[in-house]
Amino acid sequence: MKTRVLLAIYSNFDHWSRDLATVCEPGCSHCCTDNVTITALEGVEILRYVVAEGMGEWFARALAGARNHQPARVTTNEFARACLEGREADIGDSGNMSPCPFLGDDRLCRIYPVRPFACRLFASMRKCSVGQAALMPEYHPEAATAATQLIEHLGQKEYWGNMLDVLPALLDIGEFREIGYLLPPGLALESRLRTLTARPLPGFLLSEENAARVSALLETIFKIEIDGKTVEEILNGR
């Protein structure tokens, strides 16, 4: 059921943002770096796709060769709680980010159908470059943050962190162990030690200017029914 809720959040966010005049297209990969955070639930979806597509050996090489990334220091919901309580939160420094190891030579994502939400939220209304950042309306990052918070809440008490730490950490699950055997000794354990734990939702970080627009998206997500329960009921453990 959690997977269906996750996919519903993906789908509704895509539908909600469909009218934005974005210029993103295949091969545009300026935002595709090794600084991507995911939940364990998203990681399992990625690993199942890798197994189904017979990409285990390539995937293990990609994980083993990408070890210069920065581990996450604070989850999105931990950051939100600190903000709501008027405290500082040390999010660390992303440092010198490298290209995502899951890009092919053609600059296309090899796990695109199951890419995590942290990848799905990126978009721009103008061409990006080293000297020109993405451009989106102010309400978009607030909506993306709110959806990210919901996804973390959905996966609470499980792994959360940099994608390149969470994925190896999950390779002791039976259906993925064949990939784990291909990793260098100790990498999975090292990765587990670098992960954080997903936290429950403490509240949303919405500005007065954008609250109505973002709340409309959240209400649409909450009202989705899955097996006779609304997403709101599922997220509240009912």
Side-chain angles (χ1 to χ4, degrees):
M1 182 179 288
K2 285 186 176 182
T3 298
R4 293 170 66 185
V5 174
L6 175 67
L7 297 179
I9 295 172
Y10 285 175
S11 176
N12 276 266
F13 188 87
D14 286 346
H15 182 76
W16 174 81
S17 57
R18 71 189 185 283
D19 293 332
L20 292 172
T22 59
V23 298
C24 308
E25 58 186 6
C28 172
S29 59
H30 289 291
C31 59
C32 301
T33 72
D34 59 0
N35 188 30
V36 173
T37 55
I38 66 171
T39 61
L41 184 62
E42 293 177 289
V44 167
E45 288 301 294
I46 293 170
L47 291 171
R48 284 178 176 161
Y49 177 82
V50 168
V51 170
E53 295 295 314
M55 301 192 299
E57 292 187 8
W58 162 80
F59 191 76
R61 289 196 302 271
L63 288 178
R67 307 311 301 165
N68 293 321
H69 61 280
Q70 293 294 318
R73 290 195 182 184
V74 61
T75 78
T76 307
N77 280 336
E78 286 174 335
F79 176 79
R81 180 174 293 282
C83 291
L84 293 170
E85 294 177 353
R87 296 184 287 108
E88 292 289 332
D90 180 12
I91 61 175
D93 182 0
S94 59
N96 296 318
M97 294 180 288
S98 300
C100 178
F102 303 142
L103 289 173
D105 293 337
D106 53 6
R107 310 304 296 169
L108 298 178
C109 175
R110 295 193 63 183
I111 60 168
Y112 189 81
V114 289
R115 67 199 185 282
F117 186 72
C119 299
R120 294 169 186 267
L121 64 83
F122 279 109
S124 180
M125 299 171 66
R126 68 183 179 193
K127 284 287 186 180
C128 303
S129 67
V130 175
Q132 182 166 268
L135 175 67
M136 291 295 279
E138 289 185 359
Y139 63 80
H140 186 272
E142 288 191 32
T145 298
T148 301
Q149 289 185 259
L150 289 181
I151 292 170
E152 181 181 343
H153 181 90
L154 182 66
Q156 62 185 283
K157 298 182 181 179
E158 298 180 342
Y159 295 133
W160 188 99
N162 189 297
M163 176 170 64
L164 301 178
D165 291 323
V166 173
L167 290 169
L170 291 168
L171 292 179
D172 60 352
I173 297 175
E175 60 185 302
F176 310 132
R177 282 181 180 163
E178 291 300 318
I179 301 176
Y181 295 148
L182 300 173
L183 295 180
L187 193 152
L189 175 58
E190 172 194 331
S191 297
R192 282 193 289 275
L193 295 174
R194 289 160 63 101
T195 63
L196 303 175
T197 301
R199 303 297 182 182
L201 177 72
F204 294 108
L205 301 175
L206 303 181
S207 67
E208 184 176 343
E209 296 79 8
N210 299 318
R213 188 187 294 266
V214 178
S215 294
L217 167 65
L218 295 175
E219 285 300 318
T220 299
I221 293 173
F222 289 150
K223 291 177 181 178
I224 297 167
E225 288 198 9
I226 297 176
D227 292 341
K229 291 185 177 183
T230 65
V231 166
E232 184 173 19
E233 290 173 329
I234 295 169
L235 290 173
N236 286 329
R238 299 201 297 268

